[in-house]
Amino acid sequence: MKTTKTIKTAVLSSVAALSLLASNPAAAEAPEALKTEAMATVDTHAELVQEMVDSMFSFAEPGFQEFKTQEYVTGILEEAGFTIELGSAGIPSAWTATWTHGTGGPKVALGSDVDALLGLSQQPGTGEIAPLVEGAPGHGEGHNSGMAVMVAAALAVKDIMQEHDIDGTLMIWPGIAEELLATKAYYVRAGMFDGFDACLFTHVSTDFSTTYGEGRGNGMVSVEYNFSGKTAHGAGAPWLGRSALDGVELMNVAWNMRREHLPISQRSHYVITDGGGQPNIVPGTASVWYYFRDHTFDGVSELFDIGNTIAQAAADATGTTVERRTLGYAAPQWGNRPLAEAAFANIEQIGMPSWSSADQAFARLVQETNDREIEPLGAEILPMEVDEDFTPTGGGSDDIGDIMWALPTITIRFPSNVPNVIGHHVTAAMPMATPIAHKGAVAGAKAVALTTLDILMDPELLADANRYREEVQFADGREYAPVLTEADMPAIDLNGEIMQRMRPQMEPYYYDPSRYSSYLEQLGVAYPPTSN
């Protein structure tokens, strides 16, 4: 695992290396002219954005099983001249795509998540709950849209770098298994971002925004506790058995008792992944999978320690044994202020997409049909919200936090979904292969492209970004302190059996852009539907 000392040394080395930018001849060119050119170039890729958003929606691959997505996206990038490396950080479905112009110059990483959610298969373009394949995964958080943002942005910037002789390196990478919070800490541990100067990350939203500083979300550790007992006849001689399920249930009861006395910032939840076979057999094995979340590294570590203590106590009390397996980790987030301010200026310049009457009608249909608050698609860029003085009260997690502690990083949120849909629910999938998703992704690509140009051409921006990390992010003794050990490895087996069973049923629904201009056309869905 990379140490805090190593990360801080990298910060100082990056600052020293910035002097090399002064010799870049393109730095004298008018950046606004290049930004105008970049936005126009992104617009030429709008059809590719639509194709990618729709294709990845149709693939709908859950964490660690994003192999069709890998083949599809890397094929596009390889054809565009990027160098592809598969299996990043020992994760088979991970990859990087790298392209360099000239010698030296800043190195910019561009990433977005790509995985789907189990059980959320949904036909797009309708307000009714209608799975494409019953029980299959689906894009109920919209991760099908972010990679299109990054590819379109990278292709636009690549053209400008070549035309105007701007030195630098672009690396596109995917967030694999983000819904399991299971890979980005391993990316950092493997040194995937070593030598890179900044990272821009994107995530689907209903607004067009970014922020900096301590995030409102939580860090997290994902851990499965596996209890072992002894089988026996549940009626004939139960005294000869030791129930592993008793250990699981006792752990859950004890955790729920302890929950009352935990900080308000924490979130914790679990599912029983193995509860035994049948009632008349005392369960010899049983497992429970926990997410422990809190706002700080110390808070996550403390919850992890409490969970481990309770698990062992439950095993002791039931005459069973317990082992644990760490399945994922996400560090608390900390966005970079100089990068965020540069990105937000670009967002304001770009503005919100121009929504059609059909877009607004569809948004209202989704909201009305699913008893959600009625709110039109946004028309204005809202002021940047900064979480500088607040009381943590819990929330979700994203393992982009680990990368934020490795190099200057921000998240750009782009408007590709409908207000007030429910996250991790099929309502959030309904708009994600419609013109709303396409237009929002084009806007996001412009923001990424313009901010990438800022990083490539403004040496002061990178100097300020590294100074902020050293003087603010790492101040007051803060350090990158994950609970992962060298023995912990990516849980690449997860979702394998599910996709082995589901993929043959899903393949007939893959989008074919050679025959249809949109996925809605392929499915025979009118937009907006006149009724459900």
Side-chain angles (χ1 to χ4, degrees):
M1 179 68 65
K2 180 178 286 190
T3 65
T4 303
K5 180 178 179 181
T6 303
I7 290 176
K8 286 186 174 179
T9 300
V11 171
L12 296 174
S13 297
S14 295
V15 173
L18 290 173
S19 61
L20 296 174
L21 288 172
S23 61
N24 192 337
E29 297 190 31
E32 286 307 312
L34 292 186
K35 288 184 175 184
T36 299
E37 182 180 343
M39 288 189 286
T41 305
V42 168
D43 281 330
T44 68
H45 295 301
E47 184 176 338
L48 175 63
V49 168
Q50 171 269 315
E51 177 189 315
M52 292 188 68
V53 169
D54 288 5
S55 294
M56 291 178 63
F57 184 95
S58 72
F59 302 156
E61 296 172 300
F64 292 115
Q65 304 304 316
E66 306 95 329
F67 294 107
K68 181 64 176 177
T69 299
Q70 179 191 70
E71 176 188 17
Y72 172 70
V73 180
T74 58
I76 292 170
L77 291 168
E78 187 171 34
E79 185 175 346
F82 284 73
T83 299
I84 308 300
E85 292 189 11
L86 303 180
S88 305
I91 300 163
S93 59
W95 49 271
T96 60
T98 307
W99 179 85
T100 297
H101 181 73
T103 58
K107 296 183 176 182
V108 186
L110 306 172
S112 196
D113 299 325
V114 298
D115 57 324
L117 286 155
L118 296 179
L120 297 188
S121 176
Q122 171 63 33
Q123 177 177 292
T126 177
E128 294 285 349
I129 296 176
L132 286 169
V133 176
E134 190 70 42
H139 276 290
E141 191 171 329
H143 285 178
N144 61 299
S145 56
M147 193 49 64
V149 170
M150 288 312 192
V151 170
L155 294 180
V157 172
K158 174 178 175 286
D159 287 348
I160 290 174
M161 291 172 70
Q162 290 176 310
E163 183 177 349
H164 298 277
D165 196 23
I166 302 171
D167 290 354
T169 296
L170 306 176
M171 180 181 76
I172 303 178
W173 58 273
I176 297 298
E178 187 278 333
E179 300 297 359
L180 300 170
L181 298 157
T183 59
K184 297 187 184 79
Y186 294 106
Y187 288 173
V188 172
R189 187 171 80 177
M192 203 164 95
F193 301 96
D194 289 355
F196 277 79
D197 297 288
C199 179
L200 301 180
F201 183 72
T202 59
H203 199 282
V204 61
S205 184
T206 60
D207 62 356
F208 200 4
S209 64
T210 189
T211 190
Y212 62 84
E214 224 176 342
R216 288 184 178 268
N218 280 333
M220 187 219 69
V221 61
S222 165
V223 56
E224 186 175 51
Y225 295 95
N226 301 301
F227 288 79
S228 297
K230 184 167 65 173
T231 62
H233 196 294
W239 50 87
L240 296 179
R242 297 292 181 269
S243 173
L245 181 59
D246 286 350
V248 164
E249 290 187 300
L250 187 57
M251 178 181 180
N252 294 343
V253 169
W255 182 264
N256 288 328
M257 293 288 185
R258 185 64 179 268
R259 192 195 305 271
E260 179 184 359
H261 310 287
L262 295 174
I264 193 173
S265 56
Q266 74 86 30
R267 291 288 187 275
S268 51
H269 17 266
Y270 58 83
V271 293
I272 296 175
T273 52
D274 174 14
Q278 60 188 64
N280 64 338
I281 303 173
V282 174
T285 62
S287 300
V288 60
W289 183 6
Y290 269 81
Y291 279 12
F292 299 120
R293 309 182 195 244
D294 208 343
H295 195 65
T296 65
F297 286 102
D298 287 346
V300 173
S301 181
E302 182 178 358
L303 292 178
F304 187 44
D305 289 343
I306 294 171
N308 295 340
T309 299
I310 288 176
Q312 187 58 56
D316 292 342
T318 56
T320 60
T321 60
V322 63
E323 295 180 348
R324 67 176 183 268
R325 180 190 181 196
T326 301
L327 299 179
Y329 179 80
Q333 296 180 46
W334 197 296
N336 188 273
R337 179 172 183 168
L339 291 185
E341 290 175 340
F344 190 70
N346 293 325
I347 288 170
E348 289 186 307
Q349 179 179 349
I350 296 160
M352 290 291 284
S354 297
W355 307 117
S356 68
S357 59
D359 298 333
Q360 294 288 6
F362 177 70
R364 186 178 184 91
L365 177 70
V366 170
Q367 293 162 349
E368 287 180 340
T369 305
N370 295 281
D371 297 320
R372 308 307 298 157
E373 180 183 351
I374 304 301
E375 180 182 347
L377 298 169
E380 298 180 355
I381 304 297
L382 301 177
M384 181 162 57
E385 294 185 359
V386 180
D387 298 329
E388 290 187 308
D389 185 19
F390 68 99
T391 300
T393 55
S397 310
D398 191 317
D399 52 355
I400 188 60
D402 293 271
I403 297 170
M404 287 176 164
W405 291 91
L407 73 167
T409 302
I410 57 168
T411 297
I412 295 174
R413 298 167 65 85
F414 58 94
S416 280
N417 214 317
V418 168
N420 305 318
V421 294
I422 304 169
H424 289 200
H425 185 264
V426 291
T427 53
M430 293 170 179
M432 287 311 305
T434 72
I436 295 171
H438 307 149
K439 293 175 183 178
V442 170
K446 292 178 180 179
V448 172
L450 269 55
T451 308
T452 302
L453 286 175
D454 286 332
I455 295 168
L456 291 171
M457 301 186 64
D458 183 358
E460 286 301 314
L461 176 58
L462 278 180
D464 290 344
N466 281 287
R467 190 176 301 113
Y468 175 83
R469 275 168 53 77
E470 183 180 358
E471 297 179 359
V472 179
Q473 184 175 352
F474 282 96
D476 302 321
R478 283 187 290 269
E479 61 182 16
Y480 179 58
V483 301
L484 292 181
T485 69
E486 290 294 339
D488 293 319
M489 301 300 291
I492 60 175
D493 56 299
L494 294 181
N495 296 324
E497 185 278 329
I498 292 171
M499 283 307 286
Q500 186 176 10
R501 177 166 42 89
M502 284 293 179
R503 195 181 295 276
Q505 301 176 58
M506 298 167 64
E507 286 175 341
Y509 292 93
Y510 285 177
Y511 174 45
D512 183 355
S514 68
R515 298 180 59 194
Y516 302 97
S517 63
S518 71
Y519 195 39
L520 294 185
E521 181 186 356
Q522 178 171 321
L523 296 174
V525 176
Y527 183 81
T530 54
S531 67
N532 283 317

